[in-house]
Amino acid sequence: MPATALTAHALLLDMDGTLVNSDAVVERCWRRWALRNGLDPEEALKVVHGRQGYATMAVLLPERPMEQNHADNKVMLAEETADTEGVVAIGGAPAFMDAIAALPHALVTSADLALATARMGAAGLRMPDLRVTAESVGASKPDPEGFLKGAAALGFAPADCVVFEDSEAGIAAGRAAGMRVVGVGPRAGAHSPDAQVADLTQLRVEAAADGTITLHVDAR
């Protein structure tokens, strides 16, 4: 592991795969979409994580008009918001969210607000007061816009922020924003995050009086 501790002044948190395990819903909805569009579901699932739906569709169907991708994405968001079966918290997420409750942090997710609210609620997790959702940005991850907006809203420079992410697109977005990245879960390891954990039980948060946040990573 490249690091056993990271220091920051603010934390920017992805949702799916990082705080919430929603893989079952994601796979159900995207398998249906892939089959409707004549695509191999297994190939589609390799690129769905981390991006907004319309951006995933653009990767999978590059010749299709973007207007159709946005229309399909509205349908997909409605399906995903209505389906919370199997949505659970990532290991350690409730305690982690409690530990950072008084510290500067924001949710930065490719979900829209309705979907984020549904999934955080289904997982029994507190919704951060500050969130950057799909409605807040003009570009999907791996574009850094969401993380940069989160940092600006919290009042910190990118270099003072640590991103928590699980996906290739999300890790790339964090790096493009000039931030360090804690990779969470099995998808993250292949993309060289600054530190990696299997889940959030491997993290201990220490806050100093000067506002410095130290993230201690258990290397087990």
Side-chain angles (χ1 to χ4, degrees), residues 19-112:
L19 298 174
V20 173
N21 183 343
S22 56
D23 282 2
V25 179
V26 171
E27 292 191 8
R28 281 195 295 272
C29 291
W30 279 98
R31 282 181 189 280
R32 289 195 298 266
W33 181 88
L35 290 171
R36 287 198 299 267
N37 287 277
L39 299 172
D40 180 349
E42 298 306 320
E43 291 302 309
L45 289 174
K46 291 178 181 178
V47 298
V48 301
H49 297 288
R51 294 178 175 86
Q52 290 190 43
Y54 75 86
T56 294
M57 294 169 190
V59 170
L60 293 168
L61 294 172
E63 303 304 317
R64 195 166 80 153
M66 189 59 77
E67 292 81 2
Q68 191 171 347
N69 294 336
H70 282 288
D72 266 17
N73 189 44
K74 288 182 180 179
V75 175
M76 176 73 73
L77 285 169
E79 288 181 7
E80 290 187 293
T81 301
D83 184 356
T84 56
E85 183 179 351
V87 173
V88 296
I90 293 290
F96 175 75
M97 293 301 287
D98 287 345
I100 68 169
L103 304 177
H105 67 282
L107 191 73
V108 181
T109 176
S110 293
D112 65 7

Side-chain angles (χ1 to χ4, degrees), residues 5-220:
L6 294 173
T7 59
H9 286 91
L11 309 177
L12 300 175
L13 317 171
D14 175 51
M15 181 181 69
D16 292 301
T18 302
L19 298 174
V20 173
N21 183 343
S22 56
D23 282 2
V25 179
V26 171
E27 292 191 8
R28 281 195 295 272
C29 291
W30 279 98
R31 282 181 189 280
R32 289 195 298 266
W33 181 88
L35 290 171
R36 287 198 299 267
N37 287 277
L39 299 172
D40 180 349
E42 298 306 320
E43 291 302 309
L45 289 174
K46 291 178 181 178
V47 298
V48 301
H49 297 288
R51 294 178 175 86
Q52 290 190 43
Y54 75 86
T56 294
M57 294 169 190
V59 170
L60 293 168
L61 294 172
E63 303 304 317
R64 195 166 80 153
M66 189 59 77
E67 292 81 2
Q68 191 171 347
N69 294 336
H70 282 288
D72 266 17
N73 189 44
K74 288 182 180 179
V75 175
M76 176 73 73
L77 285 169
E79 288 181 7
E80 290 187 293
T81 301
D83 184 356
T84 56
E85 183 179 351
V87 173
V88 296
I90 293 290
F96 175 75
M97 293 301 287
D98 287 345
I100 68 169
L103 304 177
H105 67 282
L107 191 73
V108 181
T109 176
S110 293
D112 65 7
L113 182 58
L115 180 55
T117 301
R119 287 189 176 163
M120 291 291 280
L125 296 175
R126 171 184 61 81
M127 176 67 87
D129 291 335
L130 180 61
R131 51 257 181 173
V132 180
T133 58
E135 301 97 329
S136 310
V137 297
S140 170
K141 299 172 185 176
D143 191 281
E145 181 186 358
F147 287 125
L148 292 172
K149 283 194 169 181
L154 290 169
F156 291 96
D160 290 328
C161 299
V162 167
V163 164
F164 287 74
E165 268 286 0
D166 72 301
S167 70
E168 179 180 9
I171 291 170
R175 289 204 177 287
M179 302 173 185
R180 289 152 298 145
V181 181
V182 174
V184 181
R187 285 187 288 269
H191 308 295
S192 303
D194 296 279
Q196 185 184 359
V197 295
D199 62 28
L200 296 171
T201 63
Q202 284 183 252
L203 279 170
R204 180 170 60 86
V205 180
E206 180 185 3
D210 68 355
T212 301
I213 303 166
T214 303
L215 304 166
H216 297 278
V217 179
D218 180 350
R220 69 178 183 276

